[in-house]
Amino acid sequence: MFKPDKTYVFALGGLGEVGKNMYCFMQNDEIIIVDAGVIFPDSELRGIDYVLPDFDFLKKNEKKIKTLIITHGHEDHIGAIPFLLQNIHIPTIFAPNQAYALIKKKLEDRNIQYKGLRPYKSDDKLKYKNFEVSFFRTTHSVPDSHGIVIKTSNGTIVETGDFKFDLTPIGPVCDLAKIAQIGTQGVTLLMTESTNVLDEGFSLSESKVDEALNEVFSKHQNNRLIIATFASNIYRLKHIIETCKKFDRKICIFGRSMENNINISIEGGYIDAKNMIVTPEVANSMDPSKVALLCTGTQGEPLAALSRIADGIHKQIKLMPNDIVIFSSSAIPGNANAIANTINNLYLKGVKVYTTSNDSEIHASGHGMTDELKLMIRLTNPKYVMPIHGEYRMLKRHAQLATECDVPKENTFVLDNGDVLEMDKGHITQVGSFDVLETYVDGNRIGDISTAVLNDRKNMANDGILVVIANINMEAKLILSKPMVTTRGFILINENEELIKQIEMISENTITTLFKNKKTTFNDIKLELTKTLTQFIKESTGRKPIVLTVLLNSKKK
């Protein structure tokens, strides 16, 4: 599939999904990687901490890897780096300043020694045998966000990273002139993010959120304010702190990720919070009108600070009747119910809650909507377009946007992870694919979590577990005592005595029948008990708990 002197483009994550972005560019004996992110698991992946890109291709081609380049510091772009470094040698990692600091902290927390981390600036250039890499500044919800330009002998590739076109941002404006200049020089392939492609128009400016928050602060100057927002939304954190300064409020921070991001932003000069931050003890002693609590928990996460405050179980903060809670965030797909539960709990405690949906514009997305995506296409004027960073429906819609902007339909590529594009002297074709799987992280275990294990966890969560304990003598082929049955998450034993008696009787009869064959083994008994009881329970109850058999081999007294 891979031929000499051709340039190849493929994704190991980020296509057909929102997250775990990892895009690869290969020519001859060199590979450049852009981003290495994670996805946080949904409720179906019980016990899983993170979902990673598939590193298998990189392991097989480790000697070709020249560098990993990071577009910005969000977890879906940097979260997989510690796991990547534990599996593969990456000579260098180039990241913009904010992402550089976040990655450095992440590696320190995991005690990973790595000397190849380097910061880059917008005007820097990286040169390799087959690639020349440059950057352009974009606007996003985290500082130092960049798009990447990769020049090859077969054409120029632009990978936008995450972006929006905000003409009145809190931070720097994106470099429109540089993007337009790149377009006039000729772009062969545009790889552009698709997160908000289903939303029409232009996204709300971050300065509008600033105005809305000012109104809430002004309206409730005598109340304590509790503000929940994404810990990674640095510009939101910046203007919340600046608004607190304006209204003479101190800030108390809850949530480790929030503390880390704010501390890194203070050290990097993005946020000025001098004499602004107080401890929970000091916050509790202050007049409510003089303090604001800044916390995690915008998605209803059960262990996050806001959820524990709403449930009344936070060790340091208790709700007051006149508290004002502000959700300066949007719902990530799949989290609506959890968020609603948290909001309901807050209302039950008698507090007023502000959300974007019902009160004012207190959140703006960091991702561009349709008109901004069209503007990126027009500015770069690409010959080919490959939508990235989105579910299939998003990628499909983005390809349609490209055709609306005069890119021929046959020059758009809606791909899956592992699909390969070949660039040859300005022409691009899809030439094949290879298998790309998901890698699961479960505690300290990486990549060895099978589908069978996940299915068992799902079954236990849905139908519980049933354990049969039998004391037997294998030599004499005798049951020494009637089998005992216990369950967890399946039924209450006291309320289902008849069913339990039937299970005990079936277990005893099964073992007795098997003992008629003198060659019966422990394994024979376990397999037959599991099979027989699973079938009986399903027919009797319609449920399918995990059935475990415990055989105690004792000598006959």
Side-chain angles (χ1 to χ4, degrees):
M1 188 190 326
F2 302 111
K3 300 174 183 177
D5 298 326
K6 314 297 187 201
T7 305
Y8 294 94
V9 180
F10 50 90
L12 301 179
L15 300 183
E17 57 199 356
V18 178
K20 68 179 177 71
N21 293 280
M22 179 176 266
Y23 307 100
C24 297
F25 307 86
M26 185 170 77
Q27 184 169 332
N28 296 327
D29 60 347
E30 291 185 325
I31 294 175
I32 288 177
I33 310 165
V34 172
D35 288 337
V38 298
I39 282 181
F40 294 101
D42 59 27
S43 59
E44 293 297 307
L45 296 176
R46 291 170 172 85
I48 299 301
D49 299 311
Y50 307 102
V51 184
L52 307 178
D54 188 343
F55 300 150
D56 188 56
F57 182 90
L58 297 178
K59 285 181 181 178
K60 293 176 181 177
N61 295 274
E62 186 172 10
K63 292 183 180 180
K64 294 183 178 181
I65 298 171
K66 293 302 174 184
T67 191
L68 166 63
I69 302 171
I70 302 301
T71 57
H72 66 283
H74 279 156
E75 282 296 295
D76 57 339
H77 296 260
I78 67 170
I81 290 175
F83 308 104
L84 180 66
L85 292 178
Q86 290 176 65
N87 286 273
I88 299 170
H89 173 64
I90 306 294
T92 55
I93 298 176
F94 286 92
N97 285 330
Q98 177 77 2
Y100 170 86
L102 291 168
I103 295 167
K104 185 178 179 183
K105 173 67 174 170
K106 192 181 290 288
L107 298 181
E108 288 172 354
D109 288 347
R110 291 181 175 270
N111 198 28
I112 296 174
Q113 304 297 318
Y114 180 69
K115 297 181 179 180
L117 185 60
R118 306 279 188 272
Y120 71 75
K121 297 180 180 179
S122 297
D123 294 332
D124 288 348
K125 288 187 177 181
L126 309 175
K127 292 187 178 181
Y128 301 93
K129 188 164 51 178
N130 297 287
F131 301 102
E132 181 179 300
V133 181
S134 58
F135 310 94
F136 57 90
R137 187 177 63 247
T138 59
T139 299
H140 190 41
S141 55
V142 64
D144 295 325
S145 296
H146 287 79
I148 296 174
V149 182
I150 301 173
K151 291 185 178 181
T152 77
S153 59
N154 292 300
T156 298
I157 303 164
V158 171
E159 207 270 48
T160 64
D162 292 356
F163 74 94
K164 65 186 291 185
F165 287 113
D166 188 343
L167 302 182
T168 54
I170 298 299
V173 179
C174 72
D175 200 335
L176 285 164
K178 191 170 186 179
I179 297 171
Q181 183 183 29
I182 293 165
T184 59
Q185 293 172 351
V187 172
T188 311
L189 176 65
L190 174 65
M191 300 170 65
T192 176
E193 74 128 329
S194 310
T195 312
N196 272 353
V197 71
L198 302 180
D199 296 319
E200 297 291 329
F202 262 86
S203 60
L204 186 69
S205 171
E206 191 66 28
S207 62
K208 291 293 183 181
V209 178
D210 197 16
E211 293 174 13
L213 284 173
N214 265 281
E215 288 181 19
V216 176
F217 271 71
S218 181
K219 187 176 180 180
H220 300 286
Q221 294 191 45
N222 296 321
N223 305 75
R224 185 174 67 171
L225 301 179
I226 301 174
I227 308 169
T229 191
F230 295 117
S232 60
N233 194 333
I234 305 303
Y235 289 128
R236 186 72 43 79
L237 299 177
K238 175 183 172 68
H239 68 65
I240 287 172
I241 290 172
E242 290 175 350
T243 306
C244 286
K245 281 183 189 177
K246 179 179 177 181
F247 286 89
D248 194 27
R249 288 180 185 263
K250 300 294 185 183
I251 282 187
C252 186
I253 303 168
F254 295 93
R256 185 183 177 193
S257 59
M258 187 79 75
E259 289 180 9
N260 285 341
N261 277 282
I262 288 178
N263 288 335
I264 287 171
S265 298
I266 290 171
E267 291 171 8
Y270 304 103
I271 291 177
D272 179 8
K274 187 177 181 180
N275 300 322
M276 287 292 297
I277 299 173
V278 298
T279 65
E281 292 75 22
V282 172
N284 282 328
S285 67
M286 294 177 67
D287 186 295
S289 66
K290 296 298 181 182
V291 68
L293 312 182
L294 188 55
C295 61
T296 57
T298 63
Q299 302 304 303
E301 307 97 314
L303 298 180
L306 185 60
S307 296
R308 288 184 284 126
I309 292 170
D311 292 336
I313 59 173
H314 198 283
K315 293 181 180 179
Q316 297 168 306
I317 296 296
K318 302 300 178 186
L319 284 172
M320 302 177 184
N322 293 324
D323 281 344
I324 303 297
V325 178
I326 303 167
F327 276 79
S328 187
S329 61
S330 60
I332 294 173
N335 294 341
N337 289 338
I339 297 169
N341 289 337
T342 299
I343 293 174
N344 283 329
N345 286 338
L346 291 167
Y347 273 114
L348 285 169
K349 300 293 192 301
V351 304
K352 180 174 177 57
V353 181
Y354 279 88
T355 66
T356 296
S357 59
N358 64 3
D359 291 287
S360 55
E361 295 173 326
I362 53 176
H363 175 69
S365 175
H367 303 273
M369 297 181 183
T370 54
D371 286 351
E372 291 152 280
L373 300 177
K374 289 178 182 178
L375 181 56
M376 179 62 79
I377 295 169
R378 290 297 189 187
L379 286 172
T380 55
N381 191 29
K383 185 176 179 181
Y384 299 88
V385 171
M386 173 184 167
I388 60 173
H389 195 353
E391 298 171 2
Y392 181 80
R393 58 183 176 145
M394 300 172 184
L395 304 181
K396 189 75 173 176
R397 175 63 184 127
H398 205 161
Q400 292 172 352
L401 283 188
T403 61
E404 292 171 17
C405 294
D406 301 323
V407 177
K409 184 177 180 180
E410 62 271 19
N411 286 11
T412 63
F413 298 99
V414 178
L415 304 179
D416 291 324
N417 295 325
D419 288 345
V420 179
L421 295 184
E422 180 184 273
M423 295 179 60
D424 182 14
K425 304 302 180 185
H427 298 284
I428 300 180
T429 53
Q430 184 178 345
V431 293
S433 64
F434 54 90
D435 290 336
V436 172
L437 306 175
E438 292 186 325
T439 303
Y440 301 120
V441 178
D442 183 353
N444 293 322
R445 299 164 62 198
I446 302 173
D448 62 345
I449 316 302
S450 68
T451 302
V453 171
L454 293 176
N455 287 338
D456 280 349
R457 291 179 182 179
K458 184 177 179 180
N459 289 341
M460 282 190 282
N462 292 334
D463 293 329
I465 186 170
L466 181 139
V467 182
V468 178
I469 305 171
N471 191 7
I472 62 176
N473 184 321
M474 282 300 294
E475 292 179 3
K477 295 292 190 288
L478 293 172
I479 299 177
L480 301 181
S481 61
K482 186 170 69 173
M484 295 183 298
V485 175
T486 185
T487 76
R488 289 292 184 271
F490 172 47
I491 55 173
L492 290 175
I493 292 177
N494 294 338
E495 296 179 3
N496 295 272
E497 292 181 0
E498 183 59 33
L499 179 61
I500 296 298
K501 286 180 181 179
Q502 288 179 291
I503 293 171
E504 290 173 347
M505 184 179 68
I506 290 170
S507 300
E508 185 173 7
N509 291 340
T510 300
I511 296 171
T512 301
T513 300
L514 288 170
F515 274 164
K516 291 178 181 178
N517 182 348
K518 296 302 181 180
K519 294 183 179 180
T520 294
T521 65
F522 257 78
N523 194 49
D524 293 334
I525 297 172
K526 286 188 173 186
L527 289 174
E528 189 62 28
L529 269 180
T530 300
K531 177 183 174 182
T532 303
L533 292 176
T534 298
Q535 184 175 350
F536 169 75
I537 293 167
K538 186 175 181 181
E539 291 173 354
S540 302
T541 67
R543 297 175 66 184
K544 194 177 179 181
I546 298 292
V547 176
L548 296 179
T549 57
V550 179
L551 301 180
L552 305 175
N553 187 18
S554 303
K555 300 292 184 180
K556 186 179 180 181
K557 294 182 179 179

